[in-house]
């Protein structure tokens, strides 16, 4: 499938309040094209609460329930239960949450919904920090990254939420990137057809937060994958499959582009020392080895 | 049908008969037996509903909010720390104008751990926009849960309702209760028709960012609806009385107040105890009455003003707004011109006996200027 073959219907409308070059908007646009009209979304506190625009207007043309920060997955369980009680099992329920609402404050509710097998799609659009409140560190912020709560660079590496989700015996887990919209579209479409909880995490490079020019969003997202900093995969039936450039990197058939190329494009990594870069390279290698053993 | 059962089992029965489509709940003492019984009803097929076994009370309330927003009737129950964990979502339910019905079994707050009756849990939720009822018998608990749905869902109200009663004193005590038939309940409480819902055929966004030019109106509308609820509560109680021959006194249940010089104001189980005390004092020739606050939100200001016109009030709080006095006493003082004596009693499940109430009465009677005191035995 090519980009021109994506459905023409738009569910994220013009005039929304996103920043120029906003990756979350690009991602949601693709995701909703895959899910279609019969979708109800629930959104915790996040950039997307703003992107929708101000009451009494909205730029989302599917029913949307905004909910408290830590509550998105529990909200999905409620919507799904009500729909089931009304015999409306053909409606997809999706959580659209950032990494803060997923990795940190929302983890308990996410774990609960996964454990009780809520039939929903949980999408974490990961911009690796709290963007909505400015640029603060989250559990998804990578080692060394500057944020307004880690001025000298984050001292800890990011946790791996997708792995946490996988050990919940989740039927479908995938990672995606806005630079590969047809891959994202295919994954969401596939998730829609699977019974039970589904989790998809999309890397969303944020221009103001990562400190790069708004015209570079897709380029940075692509380079994240090409350098192996972000791996794209699907986990289904206990099997892990890598997609796009990630496949070659993990299988050792394709050399990853130098990580420095990616780091250098972002102001948030401006203060990295040689030691920090060594640390990041080690972390990357460990990550690849972990997945080489797993796949 | 007459049954003899605990308030918790009576609540589970009432919730079942109200036909909620989604129940989301988490266990907490002394509420737990409500959740257990409801789970049984759902698993046995006696109640056709979705039961969401959530991982916390915060999620219980969230799931109820989301389900109610999707257009179905919901139920949950909690107590004490569970209610406090829900606090954020109680505000959310109120501002979202969702007619959720919840039972709260009043219990003290730790530390140290106390599982016994105390109203500080629900009192600290009084500004969330929820209507609050306080029951004094298992019969009243049943009647109030059913009525709560009708009140909450009324187009003039559209606000969530919290039905409270004392932990263990009522929750685990068997008392007789008359239970109408399912058909009679269905006639009284028809199927739920939401004012708005999440519907893929008519997409709306609920709860997006709201600027200063609208937010105040949302709060104002809640205030107006709480005021309107006073009439709705009275009408629903009248209708119930007409159908089933039972009234619990609309907003306030009064007893021997007509010629009283002193009126005791209390809520919940203390209200029931004070009922007996009034008889005891009357036998000694004391002109005393009882006004049991059945509804705390909306606050029955006008009714209290009428009561206070000719009598001095003794207010017994099973709660304390630390740094000032009992919350009910404060609100009554702000509402009436007359003398109000406030007592704090029964915190953390301490017994409030007839003897205690007699003592409060004598203390209040001796005092000529009106005063406030905390009595600790």
């Amino acid at each position: 499938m090519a980009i021109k073959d994506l459905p023409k219907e738009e569910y994220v409308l013009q005039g929304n309040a996103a920043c120029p070059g906003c990756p979350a908007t690009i991602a949601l646009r693709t995701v909703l094209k895959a899910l279609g009209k019969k979708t109800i979304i629930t959104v915790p506190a996040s950039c997307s609460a703003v992107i929708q625009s101000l009451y009494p207007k909205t730029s989302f043309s599917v029913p949307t329930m905004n909910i408290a920060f830590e509550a998105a997955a529990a909200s999905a369980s409620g919507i799904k239960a009500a729909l089931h009680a009304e015999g409306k099992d053909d409606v997809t329920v999706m959580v659209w949450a950032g990494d803060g609402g997923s990795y940190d404050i929302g983890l308990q509710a996410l774990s609960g919904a996964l454990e009780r097998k809520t039939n929903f799609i949980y999408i974490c659009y990961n911009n690796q920090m709290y963007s909505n409140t400015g640029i603060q560190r989250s559990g998804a912020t990578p080692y060394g990254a500057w944020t307004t709560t880690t001025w000298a660079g984050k001292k800890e590496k990011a946790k791996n939420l997708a792995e946490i989700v996988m050990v919940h015996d989740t039927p479908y887990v995938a990672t995606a990137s806005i630079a590969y919209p047809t891959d994202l579209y295919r994954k969401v479409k596939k998730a829609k057809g699977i019974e039970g909880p589904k989790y998809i995490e999309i890397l969303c490079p944020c221009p103001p937060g990562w400190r790069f020019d708004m015209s570079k969003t897709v380029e940075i997202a692509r380079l994240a994958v090409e350098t192996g900093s972000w791996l794209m995969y699907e986990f289904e039936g206990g099997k892990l499959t890598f997609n796009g450039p990630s496949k070659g990197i993990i299988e050792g058939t394709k050399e990853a582009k130098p990580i420095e190329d990616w780091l250098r494009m972002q102001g948030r990594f401006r203060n990295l020392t040689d030691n920090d870069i060594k640390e990041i390279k080690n972390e990357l290698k460990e990550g690849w080895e972990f997945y080489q053993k797993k796949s | 049908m007459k049954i003899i059962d605990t308030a918790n089992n009576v609540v589970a029965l009432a919730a079942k008969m109200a036909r909620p489509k989604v129940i989301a709940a988490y266990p907490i003492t002394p509420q737990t037996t409500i959740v257990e019984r409801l789970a049984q009803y759902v698993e046995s097929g006696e109640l056709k509903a979705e039961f969401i076994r959530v991982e916390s009370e915060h999620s219980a309330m969230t799931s109820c909010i989301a389900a109610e927003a999707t257009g179905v009737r919901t139920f949950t129950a909690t107590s004490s720390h569970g209610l406090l964990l829900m606090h954020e979502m109680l505000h959310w339910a109120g501002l979202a104008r969702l007619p959720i019905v919840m039972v709260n079994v009043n219990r003290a707050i730790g530390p140290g751990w106390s599982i016994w009756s105390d109203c500080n849990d629900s009192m600290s939720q009084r500004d969330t926009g929820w209507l609050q009822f306080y029951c004094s018998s298992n019969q009243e608990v049943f009647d109030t849960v059913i009525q709560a749905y009708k009140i909450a869902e009324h187009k003039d109200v559209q606000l969530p309702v919290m039905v409270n009663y004392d932990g263990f004193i009522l929750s685990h005590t068997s008392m007789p209760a008359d239970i109408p038939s399912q058909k009679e309940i269905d006639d009284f409480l028809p199927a739920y028709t939401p004012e708005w819902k999440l519907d893929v055929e008519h997409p709306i966004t609920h709860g997006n960012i709201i600027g200063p030019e609208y937010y105040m109106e949302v709060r104002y509308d809640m205030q107006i609806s709480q005021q309107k609820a006073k009439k709705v509560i009275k009408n629903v109680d009248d209708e119930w009385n007409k159908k089933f021959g039972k009234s619990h006194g609309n907003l306030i249940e009064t007893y021997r107040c007509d010629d009283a010089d002193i009126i005791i104001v209390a809520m919940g189980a203390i209200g029931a105890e004070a009922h007996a005390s009034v008889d005891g004092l009357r036998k000694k020739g004391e002109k005393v009455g009882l006004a049991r606050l059945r509804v705390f939100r909306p606050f029955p200001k006008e009714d209290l003003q009428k009561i206070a016109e000719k009598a001095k009030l003794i207010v017994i709080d099973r709660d304390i707004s630390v740094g000032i006095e009992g919350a009910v006493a404060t609100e009554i003082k702000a509402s009436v011109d007359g003398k109000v004596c406030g007592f704090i009693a029964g915190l953390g499940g301490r017994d409030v006996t007839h003897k205690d109430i007699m003592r409060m009465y004598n203390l209040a009677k001796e005092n000529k200027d009106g005063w406030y005191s905390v009595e600790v035995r």
Side-chain angles (χ1 to χ4, degrees), chain A residues 37 39 50 52-55 57-58 61 63-68 70-71 74-75 77-78 81 84 86 108-109 116, chain B residues 21 50 52 54-56 58-59 62-63 65-67 70 88-89 92 199-201 203-209 214:
Chain A
K37 188 185 156 192
T39 304
V50 180
Q52 287 167 60
S53 312
L54 262 81
Y55 173 88
K57 295 175 181 174
T58 176
S61 70
T64 306
M65 179 78 184
N66 286 275
I67 204 74
E70 65 278 50
S75 166
S77 292
H84 185 63
E86 298 278 70
Q108 178 174 308
R116 62 179 173 263
Chain B
K21 288 200 172 153
E50 294 293 306
I52 312 176
V54 283
E55 75 291 342
S56 78
H58 193 281
S59 286
T62 302
S63 294
I65 287 166
T70 313
E88 180 192 24
M89 302 319 289
W92 203 283
D199 179 2
V200 292
E201 297 307 323
I204 54 153
T205 286
H206 185 273
N208 55 331
I209 290 187
Y214 291 107

Side-chain angles (χ1 to χ4, degrees), chain B residues 208-360:
Chain B
N208 55 331
I209 290 187
I210 182 164
E213 68 273 40
Y214 291 107
Y215 186 82
M216 204 157 157
E217 275 70 12
V218 177
R219 287 280 187 188
Y220 177 72
D221 284 348
M222 289 169 81
Q223 172 70 3
I224 296 300
S225 295
Q226 283 258 352
Q227 294 307 326
K228 284 184 179 169
K230 292 180 183 175
K231 181 105 190 291
V232 177
I233 293 167
K234 280 195 167 85
N235 290 346
V236 169
D237 187 77
D238 287 347
E239 191 190 337
W240 186 268
N241 196 8
K242 226 162 142 190
K243 277 204 158 101
F244 306 116
K246 284 188 170 60
S247 167
H248 304 285
N250 295 331
L251 301 171
I252 296 182
E253 182 188 50
T254 55
Y255 180 62
R256 303 183 88 162
C257 283
D258 289 348
D259 64 337
D261 293 329
I262 292 183
I263 292 172
I264 300 168
V265 182
M267 303 197 308
I270 295 179
E273 189 63 36
H275 197 277
S277 297
V278 166
D279 286 341
L281 285 161
R282 281 277 176 177
K283 264 184 207 156
K284 291 185 179 170
E286 301 291 334
K287 289 168 88 176
V288 61
L290 167 72
R292 183 175 65 85
L293 282 191
R294 185 181 170 233
V295 180
F296 182 65
R297 280 290 180 277
F299 195 67
K301 196 172 175 172
E302 300 80 6
D303 301 40
L304 283 160
Q305 281 168 343
K306 222 174 273 169
I307 287 164
E309 266 172 20
K310 288 183 214 155
K312 184 170 166 178
L313 303 184
I314 294 174
V315 181
I316 310 173
D317 270 279
R318 199 195 277 276
D319 63 84
I320 177 163
S321 179
V322 179
I324 176 160
E325 59 190 344
V328 184
T330 303
E331 300 211 359
I332 291 180
K333 283 178 184 173
S335 303
V336 306
D337 289 334
K339 286 177 180 167
V340 178
C341 304
F343 290 93
I344 310 286
L347 300 186
R350 181 170 295 187
D351 256 356
V352 182
T353 64
H354 170 58
K355 222 171 115 190
D356 297 319
I357 294 170
M358 297 279 271
R359 184 145 176 253
M360 288 179 215

